[in-house]
Structure formats: structure tokens, C-alpha cells
Amino acid sequence: MNIFWNTSLIALSVIVAVAGSFTALAHAARMRHAQGSTSIAWMVSGGITLGMAIWSMHFVGMLAFHLPIPLSYDLPLTLLSAVPAMAAALLGFYVLRTPAVSNTRIFLAGLFMGAGISSMHYIGMAALKMSPAITYNPGIYALSIFIAIAASWIALLMMFRGEQIKLPEYVRFALGSLVMGLAISGMHYTSMQGVTISPGSVCMGGAVHIDSPALAIIVSLVSLLWFGGGILAASFDQRLARHNALALSQLQHLHSTLEKSANDAAASMLHDLSESEKKMRSVVEGALDCIVMMDEKGSLVEFNPAAERTFGYKREEVIGRNFADVIIPFASRKAHREGFERFGKTGQSTMLGKRIELNAMHANGREFPVELAITAFDWTGSRMMVGFLRDITERKKAEFEINNLAFYDPLTKLPNRRLLRERLESMLDMEVAYKTYSAILFIDLDNFKTLNDTRGHDIGDLLLMEVAERLKSCVRSEDTVARLGGDEFVVILEYLSGDIEQATIQAEVVGEKVRKVLGQPYLIQDFDHYSTPSIGISMFHSQEMTVDELLKRADTAMYQAKQAGRNTLRFFDPAMQAELEARAALEDDLRFALESGQLKLLLQMQVNELNQIIGAEALIRWEHPEQGLIYPSQFVPFAEESLLILPIGQWVLETACAQLMEWQNNPVTQDLSLAINVSARQFRQANFVEQIQSTLAKFDISPHKLKLELTESLVFDNIADSIRKMRELRAIGINFAMDDFGTGYASLIYLKSLPLSQIKIDRSFVRDIAVDRDDEIIVQTIISMAHNLGLEVIAEGVETVAQLEFLRKSGCKAFQGHLFSKPVSQAEFNKLISQSVNSNDRFPSITYSPLALWT
């Protein structure tokens, strides 16, 4: 049977297919750009649109198909034919929803869509019920299906792989839509070419009769309107998507900027944190102090290298272990754990913010002192504690040594003066409560200086150490034995009887025990030594006196024991104390006298056998504002002891040199000499010779006019040193006189070695020469010996003419005494010189009378 075609409707069907394909592919593109329910909506819309495009194209294409007989279609089957097209399109689009579309997925989608196109076509053809039935050419049948699948696949490739051949998106859409539309229409019209309808066939369809071009146009218009609406919707969505994409892009850019900034800030913070952690780690690891960190249960979470060195553990050995089990000694662990439990419950600890000292334990079990400071802080929601520990073993040793140096004598290890005073002060406070007497024994070793001078200080130190041990053996454990210095010791006897008489007896018993024990022989190195003590005892009770007063009383009592012949003990005597206090007051006055000009230098003339004044002796006097004139015998001894004799001696020397300088400038007195007495301490100064030389140079006087008078005891105490100094001064012209000759223990062997110019006969021999035969012989012997040694002789204390005549007959040629003049001031002496001037004599002459002496 012949088939006729309406070419206009054929063209319209192709347009419908292309337009529908474009719309469906546009929906597919929106599907891929959307997410969630929106993506599903676009997928369903695209599937339905593509199904309608296939169905509409088939519907219009069938209207373009004409046979010589009337045609009608089965309506349910015609409508049903749209279902496989839509289902295949939905399935294809579903396959293409994934973000990454592989070639396999594109092929499967093309396969589904081609199958849908083919299914829809042949189901639609089945709605045309012909009798006999329509037959198909198998080759063309297969070709039609192939065209549907291949064209669909090519269309999808164009859509999803078009960017690989650098095609713009709208070109890819147009080409894809064209290929997809040709696939739909090509499959339809290829299939129709293989249709065979037998002549005489009759259409057996239902009542639906489709044979109007107007209907084709209506269907096409409806479809195109649908497609147009879909395209507009897709375009609007795309524009909205572009707007959203732009906004999203801006947000993403802002987000990216903020993220970059945040990342940079985070990176900077991480870097800072890393650097801070490195610095903190460096500080922790480089710290000299031990740093340990504990959690609220006391488990260690940090243990720095200093802690490893101090406690003998490796860090990995102790992390996680309890702090108490690692560092705290066994005896203290219970208290430590209780403190941590209290801290865990209350967040408070009595150890926070304090530096405490306690014992720690080394890994080997050795305990040693440490200083500990603990702080607490919150870290990751937990309460942490950090302990800073320092080994103070060396500091404790140093403190112990400092304490010993401060309070103990380094030689004997006995308490020193400072600790003794502290204990005495404490006792004086406590005596009020105890109502008992105590005693203080002041002990001085007799002739200790002799041992030092003859055997050396090392031997003296050995004796002092032995004395300390013997003293400790004589007293109770509660008593105190201390060393004040030198060879002076103090014993404090505490808690004696409440009755003064009984307490005194108890103190005397201990004192006698000490005297006997210390008096026993000492074996020092390789020789025996005998030493005795002088002991002074002072009883005391409550706060009736100060520590200084108490020590002064005991020292006074010891001085009384010395006065009593040594190797004895004496209790404090108030009369002796008063005498010593007066002596001390006089010493203070003497110090002031030197500064205020109360000391005076008097001159007593010396004459020769012709009654000519040849010089004078300078004699010091103290004009006390309250006590009047004080003689040297009353103040020189304690001036020697207090070393005030040194400035006094220098004052005498300078005053004498000033007088010689005055005499030297006067023709009448230029030949006079002046003698001054030199004390032992002054002469023993290492720079004594230099002092004399500098003083002579200061006043620019002739050295031979100055005469230094030395006593026998001074010279022979250290004969070698005396000879050396005397020769040095004699070499520059200084003259020496041996004062008080005959009263000491001068050795004739050394006497001839001394560079003396004069011997002075002591007044004790001169006084009785007129009545005592022994004194006459002594004086004559001294004069004869001096002449034989080539020395001048001067006699002092000449008060009578008889004494003078005897001395002259015995060969003495120089005299000094009240017969000629008493000691007078320098002004009075110079006046006497002026009155006695005889122009014919070298020296001023004097006249004397037994009844009228010079005053």
C-alpha cells in the first residue's frame, strides 16, 4: 500500500524534536549545577521535557504519515507510549547527575535515551492497529535503534566533552540539541522507511481518529510553548544561578580572603605559639632550677633536665608517676598526699605562693635539703601545679659555716664572744623566773705570751685547744664554755643554788677543779709544758646588771687573781672594781688631755763640774683640770697599755725638737742638748728610726743635740733589735743615755756593744751615798766602769752639796737634781739661762746654795 508524507509536518516534527532536546539539555545543565531537591526537580523536569519532545515529535510525525485508508489510534496505548520516553530520559539524566561524568556514564545515558526513543516509537506504532499487522524490515529496524542510541550518545558527548575541543557553551548546547533532535526524528523516519503495510489493509484502531493538520499544529504549539517556558525557566534559573554564583563567588572570595587572613593569623599564632613553646621549652630545659609540673592528682607531667640532674631520674622514667613517690622522703609522703587531696577538693594549698625548705630524696635514696616554690594554674580544664626546686645543700653548708664563724671560735670550736653574750642575755632574762644564782668564771692563762714568744704561735694554738677540751670536762652539759680571744676563756655555771652562800661554794668548787685540771702538765708535740690559770668569779642573779657589767666584774676578779700571784682564783671585789673604773676614767681623761693641750713638757737643767748648764732633760707633766698636777708614774703605765703612749711619745719628740730649734738659733743656747725618755712601745715600733729622722728633718735641727734616754729593761728585752736601731740613729748623730743604770739586769757583755754616749746613775743610789757605804761603792763602781768603757756619767737626783762633792771626788762630771733646779716650764728655763749668762764662759753658769735652791 502506498504511503504519502506531509513534508511541512515532517519539518515541524524535527523542529519540535530539536526544541524539546534543547530544553531538556538545558534542564540537564541546570540539574548538574543545582543541589538537593532543586537538582531533582530539574532532573524530573528535563526527563519529562525530553519525553514530551520525543512523544510530540512522534505524534506530529505520525500526522505527517498518510495512507489511502482512514487511520485511527488506540488512545491508552498512544498515551502510554510517552512513559518509556520519559522514564528513559529520567534514567539518563539520573546517570548524569554525578559531579564527575565519565565516558561510561555518557554512554549509558545515551543508551537509555536511545532505548527510550525507540521504545516510545514502536509502542506508538503499536497503537496503530492494522490488519493485517504492520511488518518491519529487520535491518532498518536495527538501524533505527542504532541511530537513536548513537545520536543520543553523540549529543551527550557534545554536551559534556565539548570543552575539550574548546567549543563555547551555547555552541555545544545548539549542536547537542540538534544532534539529539535528529536522533529522535532520524530514528522515527528511518524506522518508518522499514514499515510494510500490505495492500488492502484495514485500520482496526479505536474511536480516536487523528487526521488533522490543525491538531499537529496545536500539539506542536503546545509542545513549543512548554519548551519555551522550560527554556525561559532554565534561562531565569541560569541567570539567577549566575547572580547567585557571582554573589557566591564574592562570598567565596571574601571567605577566601577571610580564610586566608584567618589562616595567616592562625599560622602566625601557631608560629608564635611554636616559638613561644620553643622559648618556654628552651627556658624550661635551660633553667638551672628544677621545674616539675603535676596534675591535680599529683602525677608528674613535666620534669626538666635540671630535675634529672638533681634527682637522678630520666624524664621518661618519672612522667605519669606520683610526685611524692619520686621526690618526697618516705616519712613525709603521707602528709604530702593529704595536701594534694585537699588541693584537688578545694583548689587551695598552704604551700602556694611561698618558699619553703624541706628534705627531698635522690633516686639512690639519699636525702638532701631543697627550696621549693609552688604555683597553680588552669590548663585544658584541669588544675595544674608547677614546682620550682633548688638544691640548697651547698647553701646550708655555707650557712652552717657562716654560723660557726659568727658564733664559734675557729680554733677551739667553743662559743665565741658574740654567742656568749647572747646566752648571757637570755640567762639574765630567765633568771627572774628560775630564782637561782649563776656564776661566770673568767679564766686567763698565766705567762701564755712567753710560750708564744719562745715556741711560736702554732704551739700556743695547740695549748689553747687542749685547754678548751679540759674546760669542757670540768663542767656540766648545760654549762657554757666560751673563748673570748687570745688566752681568755669564760665558763658560765647555770642554775646554782637559790641561796647565795651555797651558790658561791658551788662556784668555788668548780673554779678549784678548773684550776687543778688546767694546772696539770701538757704534752705538746715533743715536750712537756706547765701552765696555770688565773680565775675570776662573779656571781649574778636576775636582771640586776647588764652583760657588759657582768663580764667587767669577772674580768676584775681575774685581775685580782693575777695581782695575788697567779694560779689562784678570786671572787669579785667591789673596791678593786672602783679602782679599775677610776683608772679607766683617767685613761679617757688622758686621751682628751692629749687633744686639748693639758700635757706640759718641763725642763730640768743638767750641769757640769764647773756649774755650767750643758743641757736639760725633758720631763712630761699632766695638768688635770680637776686633780691638778699628775706625774708620769701615775699615767704612763696605762698609757703604755692603751697605746696612748705612742701619740704622747711623738708629741714629746716634736715639742723637744721645737725647743732645740729655738735654742739653736740663739748663740747663748746653741750648744745646749736636750734629753727625752723613750717608752718601750715607742722604741719597738717598726718605723721608729724613720719617725726620728723625719721629725729632725721637719724641725731642721742638729741630731747630736738630741739625746734619747733608754731604760735597761727596754734595751735588753730584744738586744739585737735595740742595737740595730741605736746604731742607725747613732750614725746620724743621735746620742743615747742608759737611764736608771744599776736598777735592772744589764749585761756587761752586751753593754760594750751598745752605742751609748752616757750612763745615768739612778737617784736611788745617789740619795744615800753620804750615809750608806754600799751605795758609795756602787756609785764609784759605775763611774769607774763607765770611764773604762769611754762613756760619760751623769748623776740624777742630786739634792745636797755633800752628794755633789762625793760625786765630784768619784769622777762624775755631770749632774742633775733639785740642788740646781726643779723641773720648770720652757719659758722659765729660758729665763734661767738668760740670768746665768757669763760672757767669758762657753756655757751659762749658775751658783747654788745649800740653803737656797733654784726653783
Side-chain angles (χ1 to χ4, degrees):
M1 185 177 292
N2 294 327
I3 301 174
F4 303 96
W5 296 93
N6 185 333
T7 56
S8 297
L9 292 180
I10 291 174
L12 183 61
S13 68
V14 173
I15 291 172
V16 170
V18 172
S21 297
F22 186 86
T23 303
L25 291 177
H27 288 194
R30 301 315 309 145
M31 171 194 72
R32 289 183 50 76
H33 287 90
Q35 293 180 347
S37 60
T38 304
S39 175
I40 295 173
W42 282 114
M43 180 186 72
V44 172
S45 174
I48 292 174
T49 299
L50 185 58
M52 285 186 62
I54 297 170
W55 187 84
S56 298
M57 179 272 155
H58 176 81
F59 189 84
V60 174
M62 291 306 294
L63 290 178
F65 175 74
H66 296 283
L67 290 175
I69 59 174
L71 297 175
S72 60
Y73 296 87
D74 185 350
L75 181 60
L77 196 59
T78 299
L79 296 175
L80 181 63
S81 65
V83 173
M86 294 180 181
L90 284 173
L91 185 59
F93 284 169
Y94 177 79
V95 171
L96 298 174
R97 279 191 68 217
T98 58
V101 180
S102 63
N103 290 331
T104 302
R105 284 183 174 270
I106 293 175
F107 175 76
L108 288 175
L111 181 63
F112 292 149
M113 290 182 182
I117 293 170
S118 301
S119 299
M120 182 273 148
H121 174 76
Y122 287 108
I123 292 174
M125 289 297 294
L128 182 62
K129 296 184 179 299
M130 300 295 294
S131 179
I134 298 173
T135 60
Y136 298 94
N137 185 320
I140 294 181
Y141 177 82
L143 178 61
S144 66
I145 296 174
F146 173 77
I147 288 173
I149 293 173
S152 298
W153 175 61
I154 291 171
L156 293 177
L157 278 177
M158 198 68 67
M159 283 291 300
F160 296 101
R161 292 291 182 266
E163 71 273 6
Q164 296 179 0
I165 56 176
K166 309 301 182 183
L167 289 176
E169 185 178 14
Y170 68 89
V171 175
R172 287 189 282 115
F173 263 70
L175 291 177
S177 302
L178 181 60
V179 173
M180 181 65 73
L182 292 177
I184 297 171
S185 57
M187 182 275 164
H188 176 82
Y189 290 111
T190 300
S191 174
M192 293 304 292
Q193 294 301 316
V195 172
T196 302
I197 301 176
S198 301
S201 295
V202 178
C203 180
M204 302 298 292
V208 178
H209 177 73
I210 303 175
D211 192 18
S212 173
L215 182 60
I217 293 172
I218 292 172
V219 170
S220 298
L221 288 175
V222 171
S223 297
L224 290 175
L225 286 174
W226 172 274
F227 299 153
I231 290 172
L232 289 176
S235 297
F236 179 76
D237 184 70
Q238 186 177 19
R239 181 178 180 184
L240 183 62
R242 279 199 301 267
H243 178 75
N244 291 339
L246 179 61
L248 180 61
S249 176
Q250 292 175 346
L251 288 174
Q252 287 176 338
H253 177 71
L254 180 61
H255 173 74
S256 177
T257 302
L258 292 175
E259 185 177 29
K260 184 177 183 302
S261 176
N263 289 336
D264 291 343
S268 177
M269 291 177 63
L270 287 174
H271 179 268
D272 291 343
L273 287 173
S274 177
E275 290 298 316
S276 177
E277 184 179 3
K278 288 179 181 177
K279 290 178 181 178
M280 185 189 72
R281 176 56 57 186
S282 176
V283 169
V284 170
E285 293 184 352
L288 297 178
D289 287 344
C290 307
I291 300 177
V292 297
M293 184 185 297
M294 302 150 279
D295 61 20
E296 57 190 5
K297 295 181 180 179
S299 299
L300 288 166
V301 296
E302 183 55 65
F303 201 78
N304 75 335
E308 292 180 328
R309 294 190 297 270
T310 300
F311 295 101
Y313 292 100
K314 291 296 182 181
R315 184 176 184 275
E316 55 271 16
E317 293 181 281
V318 298
I319 295 300
R321 293 178 59 185
N322 192 277
F323 174 79
D325 296 337
V326 175
I327 292 175
I328 304 300
F330 295 103
S332 306
R333 289 181 181 177
K334 181 180 179 182
H336 181 83
R337 288 194 178 95
E338 290 175 352
F340 254 102
E341 290 177 0
R342 183 170 59 254
F343 172 73
K345 293 177 181 178
T346 65
Q348 297 179 349
S349 173
T350 57
M351 299 172 66
L352 291 177
K354 300 178 181 178
R355 286 188 175 273
I356 59 175
E357 293 182 3
L358 69 160
N359 277 351
M361 188 174 68
H362 193 271
N364 59 15
R366 173 180 59 88
E367 294 187 17
F368 60 97
V370 296
E371 183 181 71
L372 170 64
I374 294 182
T375 61
F377 65 96
D378 291 325
W379 183 44
T380 63
S382 299
R383 192 73 166 159
M384 308 296 289
M385 298 183 78
V386 178
F388 301 89
L389 299 101
R390 178 179 300 173
D391 185 350
I392 57 174
T393 302
E394 294 302 321
R395 191 180 81 187
K396 285 297 184 181
K397 289 181 181 178
E399 289 176 356
F400 179 76
E401 292 176 0
I402 291 172
N403 181 73
N404 280 343
L405 290 174
F407 295 102
Y408 290 88
D409 173 51
L411 178 65
T412 62
K413 310 306 179 186
L414 295 176
N416 61 10
R417 183 185 296 270
R418 177 181 295 177
L419 184 55
L420 174 68
R421 291 182 63 87
E422 288 189 4
R423 291 188 180 180
L424 282 173
E425 289 172 354
S426 176
M427 286 179 61
L428 290 176
D429 291 337
M430 294 173 61
E431 289 290 347
V432 176
Y434 283 97
K435 303 295 183 181
T436 59
Y437 282 91
S438 297
I440 180 168
L441 281 64
F442 201 106
I443 303 165
D444 183 89
L445 301 182
D446 300 330
N447 302 317
F448 179 73
K449 183 177 182 299
T450 303
L451 176 67
N452 267 348
D453 292 342
T454 57
R455 295 285 186 171
H457 290 277
D458 291 342
I459 299 300
D461 289 345
L462 293 176
L463 175 63
L464 293 175
M465 289 189 286
E466 179 61 25
V467 168
E469 293 301 319
R470 293 190 184 188
L471 283 175
K472 288 191 290 185
S473 69
C474 294
V475 298
R476 302 164 299 177
S477 59
E478 62 266 29
D479 297 327
T480 298
V481 178
R483 182 189 176 204
L484 290 186
D487 61 335
E488 294 179 339
F489 295 84
V490 169
V491 174
I492 303 175
L493 303 177
E494 300 185 47
Y495 313 127
L496 301 178
S497 174
D499 179 73
I500 182 61
E501 294 184 0
Q502 289 296 322
T504 302
I505 293 173
Q506 292 170 345
E508 185 176 12
V509 169
V510 176
E512 283 295 334
K513 180 180 179 181
V514 168
R515 187 184 67 81
K516 291 178 181 178
V517 170
L518 297 187
Q520 295 176 1
Y522 295 86
L523 180 61
I524 303 177
Q525 288 188 349
D526 57 349
F527 71 95
D528 291 333
H529 176 72
Y530 294 89
S531 177
T532 57
S534 294
I535 305 172
I537 304 177
S538 177
M539 308 298 297
F540 64 96
H541 178 63
S542 72
Q543 294 178 326
E544 60 188 14
M545 68 188 77
T546 65
V547 171
D548 289 332
E549 179 66 22
L550 181 58
L551 290 173
K552 185 186 297 183
R553 288 189 176 190
D555 184 46
T556 300
M558 184 276 295
Y559 184 76
Q560 289 177 289
K562 291 281 188 185
Q563 294 279 347
R566 303 179 180 179
N567 191 23
T568 186
L569 63 86
R570 289 289 185 271
F571 282 85
F572 169 71
D573 181 2
M576 177 64 73
Q577 179 66 24
E579 180 182 340
L580 291 177
E581 289 177 355
R583 179 187 175 98
L586 195 62
E587 181 179 329
D588 292 337
D589 290 346
L590 178 59
R591 194 181 305 276
F592 178 75
L594 181 62
E595 299 172 354
S596 60
Q598 295 177 13
L599 297 181
K600 306 297 179 183
L601 198 64
L602 305 183
L603 302 180
Q604 187 175 32
M605 68 174 61
Q606 295 176 341
V607 300
N608 60 14
E609 71 273 17
L610 301 176
N611 293 338
Q612 295 174 326
I613 302 175
I614 58 175
E617 179 183 3
L619 300 172
I620 191 172
R621 297 293 186 268
W622 178 9
E623 293 184 357
H624 196 282
E626 298 176 357
Q627 301 182 33
L629 190 65
I630 301 177
Y631 287 89
S633 60
Q634 296 175 273
F635 67 84
V636 168
F638 61 80
E640 286 268 5
E641 295 176 4
S642 65
L643 299 182
L644 283 174
I645 196 64
L646 298 179
I648 291 175
Q650 183 63 26
W651 174 83
V652 170
L653 175 62
E654 292 187 358
T655 306
C657 288
Q659 180 63 73
L660 283 172
M661 184 177 65
E662 181 184 340
W663 285 350
Q664 166 174 286
N665 296 326
N666 187 342
V668 177
T669 56
Q670 63 183 0
D671 293 323
L672 296 181
S673 63
L674 186 58
I676 62 173
N677 293 281
V678 177
S679 71
R681 284 193 181 274
Q682 186 180 8
F683 186 75
R684 291 303 170 204
Q685 292 181 99
N687 62 342
F688 176 72
V689 174
E690 289 76 11
Q691 284 183 348
I692 298 293
Q693 291 173 336
S694 63
T695 306
L696 291 175
K698 176 182 177 181
F699 292 94
D700 192 21
I701 62 173
S702 176
H704 73 276
K705 298 299 182 182
L706 180 65
K707 185 189 301 179
L708 303 181
E709 293 189 1
L710 307 176
T711 64
E712 294 180 25
S713 59
L714 184 156
V715 172
F716 291 101
D717 181 55
N718 188 340
I719 188 64
D721 181 64
S722 299
I723 292 174
R724 179 184 62 79
K725 290 180 178 177
M726 291 174 69
R727 284 179 177 175
E728 288 183 22
L729 292 174
R730 192 74 183 90
I732 64 173
I734 299 292
N735 291 308
F736 288 95
M738 179 71 76
D739 194 15
D740 301 335
F741 187 80
T743 61
Y745 49 89
S747 171
L748 297 180
I749 296 177
Y750 293 114
L751 186 62
K752 64 181 182 179
S753 302
L754 296 173
L756 295 171
S757 58
Q758 189 179 67
I759 289 179
K760 200 169 191 180
I761 302 175
D762 187 68
R763 68 178 64 249
S764 63
F765 299 125
V766 175
R767 184 177 59 247
D768 296 328
I769 55 176
V771 296
D772 191 325
R773 178 60 181 167
D774 291 337
D775 285 344
E776 290 179 359
I777 295 172
I778 291 174
V779 170
Q780 290 173 342
T781 302
I782 293 173
I783 295 172
S784 176
M785 179 190 67
H787 288 167
N788 290 332
L789 293 174
L791 301 176
E792 297 177 1
V793 179
I794 183 172
E796 67 175 353
V798 180
E799 299 180 355
T800 67
V801 175
Q803 293 170 343
L804 177 62
E805 292 300 327
F806 178 83
L807 290 169
R808 282 178 174 174
K809 291 178 182 179
S810 299
C812 184
K813 298 181 180 181
F815 314 96
Q816 175 184 340
H818 287 183
L819 182 62
F820 311 102
S821 172
K822 292 181 179 179
V824 296
S825 67
Q826 297 175 55
E828 291 175 346
F829 186 87
N830 291 331
K831 183 178 180 181
L832 289 176
I833 294 295
S834 299
Q835 292 174 355
S836 61
V837 172
N838 186 335
S839 60
N840 296 324
D841 294 331
R842 176 186 173 192
F843 295 100
S845 299
I846 65 168
T847 59
Y848 59 89
S849 167
L851 301 177
L853 298 178
W854 290 85
T855 59

